């Protein structure tokens, strides 16, 4: 069976390693990134690894493949163009991994905080646009080289959150438009990671309701992931003066990209927690995976430590989390519609759209 998979942010670091491991197990992987040169280089590198893989350990590697499609998460129209290209080529989508992100604060040309838009809002938009492919039950695939005869009964959405979500605030307007005042405790990065958790919750709530109502669409399940403290390209913005000692520190205390990819791979492929599980009872709408062994729900164990293998853990759920998740979902739709209507981008003059 061919697994059609879209992978966001797969040209470097944890994303590239996750893409490689899925392709080694026979998946069709679509990676999206802004830089076409880097995207093409990543595809070439991944194909080389597929060709030289030990077929004893990876017998499906010969069936795996990787493609690149352009995607700029700081531009709504680029996200729309990516989704349109995907839907034109493929009839379904089995796994969506929202891996792309940044940790450097700035303001986008449309006035949005870049951390809010790149780390959260564009992932939300991409899910909305690709939701028909995630829910699709059709066994046909538009890819000419596909011999797929069946598709999984459930699709997955994996949202890369962070341990920093524990510190996030539910001030959507302030976080979106950089409106926190200096006296307020805030972190735009932490907010963006909390909002990905809210997206996970709302996806699960909506699709659970759809299944309960007897809908004919395929079930879509979402999982949030903390990849851990990983020595990867996300730290490329560390000031040069301290980059060398910081790299030494990371080599000693941080996880490798292979270890950092383990939670995403686990979330994409492992069976969901049974409803009777204590973790599921505590956070039924927010399954959460970490790469550490967390004891007594002590936050320090989730921040940094030796690799313990990917496993389930307890996330933070702020007061009225389900209501906040629903509120953010609607806020995001209204925000995108209003900005798309007013935004002028000559490169995407034909790409006007509206979420319904």
């Amino acid at each position: 069976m061919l697994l059609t998979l879209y992978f966001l942010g797969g040209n470097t670091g944890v994303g590239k390693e996750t893409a490689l491991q899925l392709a080694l197990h026979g998946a069709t992987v679509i990676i999206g990134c802004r830089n076409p040169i880097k995207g093409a280089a990543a595809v070439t590198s991944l194909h080389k690894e597929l060709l030289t893989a030990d077929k004893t350990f990876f017998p499906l590697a010969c069936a795996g493949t990787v493609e690149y499609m352009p995607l700029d998460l700081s531009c709504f129209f680029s996200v729309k163009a990516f989704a349109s290209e995907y839907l034109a080529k493929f009839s379904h989508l089995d796994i969506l991994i929202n891996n792309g992100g940044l940790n450097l604060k700035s303001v986008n040309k449309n006035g949005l905080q870049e951390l809010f838009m790149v780390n959260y809002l564009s992932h939300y938009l991409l899910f909305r646009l690709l939701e028909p492919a995630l829910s699709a039950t059709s066994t046909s695939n538009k890819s000419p080289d596909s011999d797929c005869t069946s598709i999984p009964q459930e699709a997955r959405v994996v949202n890369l959150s962070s341990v920093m979500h524990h510190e996030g605030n539910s001030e959507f307007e302030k976080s979106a438009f950089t409106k926190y005042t200096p006296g307020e405790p805030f972190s735009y990065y932490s907010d963006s990671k909390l909002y990905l958790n809210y997206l996970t919750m709302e996806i699960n709530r909506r699709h659970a309701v759809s299944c309960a109502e007897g809908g004919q669409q395929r079930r879509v399940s979402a999982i949030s992931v903390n990849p851990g403290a990983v020595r990867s390209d996300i730290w490329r913005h560390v000031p040069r003066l301290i980059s060398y000692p910081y790299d030494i520190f990371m080599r000693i205390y941080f996880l490798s990209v292979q270890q950092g990819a383990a939670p995403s791979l686990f979330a994409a492929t492992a069976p969901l927690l049974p409803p009777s599980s204590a973790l599921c009872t505590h956070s039924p709408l927010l399954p959460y995976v970490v790469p550490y062994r967390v004891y007594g729900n002590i936050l320090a164990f989730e921040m940094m430590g030796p690799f313990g293998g990917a496993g389930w853990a307890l996330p933070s759920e702020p007061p009225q989390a389900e209501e906040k998740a629903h509120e953010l979902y609607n806020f995001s739709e209204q925000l995108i519609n209003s900005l798309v209507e007013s935004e002028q981008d000559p490169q995407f003059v034909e790409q006007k759209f509206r979420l319904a």
Side-chain angles (χ1 to χ4, degrees):
M1 181 189 70
L2 176 67
L3 174 65
T4 301
L5 180 143
Y6 161 71
F7 188 84
L8 173 60
N11 65 298
T12 187
V14 170
K16 185 178 179 183
E17 179 63 25
T18 308
L20 171 62
Q21 292 301 320
L22 288 165
L24 284 171
H25 288 83
T28 295
V29 180
I30 312 297
I31 61 173
C33 70
R34 180 173 54 184
N35 188 314
I37 296 176
K38 291 182 178 179
V43 169
T44 299
S45 173
L46 289 166
H47 276 157
K48 182 178 179 180
E49 296 203 50
L50 288 173
L51 288 172
T52 57
D54 186 340
K55 300 304 187 292
T56 303
F57 294 100
F58 301 105
L60 298 178
C62 58
T65 186
V66 182
E67 299 179 31
Y68 157 74
M69 286 165 47
L71 175 64
D72 182 355
L73 290 174
S74 66
C75 175
F76 293 132
F77 299 117
S78 178
V79 176
K80 176 63 167 63
F82 176 94
S84 297
E85 183 179 353
Y86 183 92
L87 293 173
K89 292 180 67 175
F90 298 97
S91 64
H92 73 282
L93 173 61
D94 298 327
I95 306 172
L96 170 63
I97 301 182
N98 288 320
N99 176 85
L102 50 81
N103 62 357
L104 192 66
K105 184 179 75 171
S106 62
V107 177
N108 197 284
K109 63 182 179 181
N110 56 22
L112 286 178
Q113 169 54 235
E114 194 91 331
L115 288 167
F116 177 85
M117 181 164 183
V118 173
N119 288 6
Y120 161 71
L121 191 60
S122 288
H123 296 309
Y124 163 88
L125 175 59
L126 197 63
F127 165 75
R128 290 291 304 274
L129 296 173
L130 292 176
E131 192 172 11
L134 287 160
S135 301
T137 57
S138 170
T139 58
S140 65
N141 192 297
K142 299 175 185 178
S143 179
D145 59 349
S146 170
D147 60 354
C148 178
T149 57
S150 63
I151 64 175
Q153 294 182 338
E154 174 201 341
R156 285 281 170 89
V157 177
V158 179
N159 293 318
L160 263 74
S161 184
S162 163
V163 66
M164 296 304 296
H165 84 269
H166 294 280
E167 303 298 322
N169 294 321
S170 301
E171 300 282 356
F172 309 140
E173 184 84 19
K174 290 183 178 180
S175 196
F177 291 103
T178 321
K179 289 185 176 181
Y180 283 113
T181 60
E184 293 180 283
F186 69 90
S187 164
Y188 293 107
Y189 180 83
S190 298
D191 286 358
S192 70
K193 296 304 180 179
L194 172 63
Y195 300 164
L196 283 174
N197 284 0
Y198 281 159
L199 177 59
T200 294
M201 295 179 71
E202 189 64 7
I203 290 172
N204 287 329
R205 187 191 71 81
R206 287 172 178 262
H207 280 270
V209 169
S210 175
C211 288
E213 292 176 348
Q216 297 302 308
Q217 295 180 327
R218 181 166 60 154
R219 175 70 176 266
V220 179
S221 297
I223 299 175
S224 284
V225 161
N226 168 19
V230 182
R231 181 176 175 265
S232 72
D233 261 9
I234 197 171
W235 305 106
R236 62 186 176 274
H237 299 300
V238 170
R240 183 173 301 226
L241 187 64
I242 64 170
S243 61
Y244 181 71
Y246 193 69
D247 186 62
I248 295 176
F249 174 82
M250 288 193 293
R251 288 177 182 272
I252 297 172
Y253 295 107
F254 280 24
L255 303 179
S256 67
V257 291
Q258 291 78 17
Q259 293 168 333
S264 294
L265 293 165
F266 181 90
T269 59
L272 291 174
L273 279 167
S276 58
S277 165
L279 288 175
C280 190
T281 302
H282 185 275
S283 302
L285 296 178
L286 185 52
Y288 181 65
V289 179
V290 302
Y292 306 116
R293 288 289 170 262
V294 181
Y295 301 98
N297 299 323
I298 299 173
L299 188 58
F301 288 112
E302 195 192 324
M303 296 183 67
M304 190 183 300
F307 179 66
W312 304 103
L314 280 176
S316 285
E317 290 191 27
Q320 299 179 313
E322 290 187 38
E323 291 82 357
K324 290 293 184 182
H326 182 69
E327 180 184 338
L328 177 61
Y329 197 91
N330 292 333
F331 172 82
S332 301
E333 177 181 302
Q334 295 164 10
L335 180 59
I336 290 170
N337 284 340
S338 64
L339 290 175
V340 164
E341 188 67 29
S342 61
E343 192 170 326
Q344 301 296 322
D345 193 325
Q347 183 182 357
F348 298 99
V349 67
E350 302 296 331
Q351 286 285 347
K352 291 293 184 181
F353 65 93
R354 186 175 182 83
L355 293 176

